[in-house]
Amino acid sequence: MKNSLRILRTEKGWSQADLADRLDVSRQSVNAIETGKYDPSLPLAFAIARLFGRSIEEIFDDGVGAAEAAE
């Protein structure tokens, strides 16, 4: 799943380890989410959204456009 996590993290000046500590996950998990190799659980996605003051949809893109989602 595409996401803007790396951009948001670097805007805060945080390393992957810093973000991992704030989310109570491993640095490897943060890396896997950023590179799209791992989709976070819903509770983790909500925690990420809260941490950055954004909605989940602003951070994560499931690749389904509005037209496809309406079908």
Side-chain angles (χ1 to χ4, degrees):
M1 177 181 312
K2 293 181 182 180
N3 65 74
S4 58
L5 189 55
R6 180 171 302 187
I7 293 166
L8 294 170
R9 175 179 59 76
T10 56
E11 285 175 354
K12 295 275 191 184
W14 296 341
S15 68
Q16 288 182 342
D18 293 331
L19 179 56
D21 286 344
R22 286 173 168 82
L23 295 171
D24 197 29
V25 299
S26 70
R27 184 203 58 78
Q28 291 85 353
S29 293
V30 170
N31 179 268
I33 294 168
E34 285 185 355
T35 58
K37 295 178 181 169
Y38 171 74
D39 293 336
S41 65
L42 196 52
L44 180 54
F46 273 110
I48 292 167
R50 276 193 303 273
L51 183 62
F52 289 104
R54 307 278 177 106
S55 69
I56 290 175
E57 294 86 357
E58 288 178 286
I59 300 172
F60 297 97
D61 178 6
D62 65 1
V64 177
E68 291 91 354
E71 292 178 356

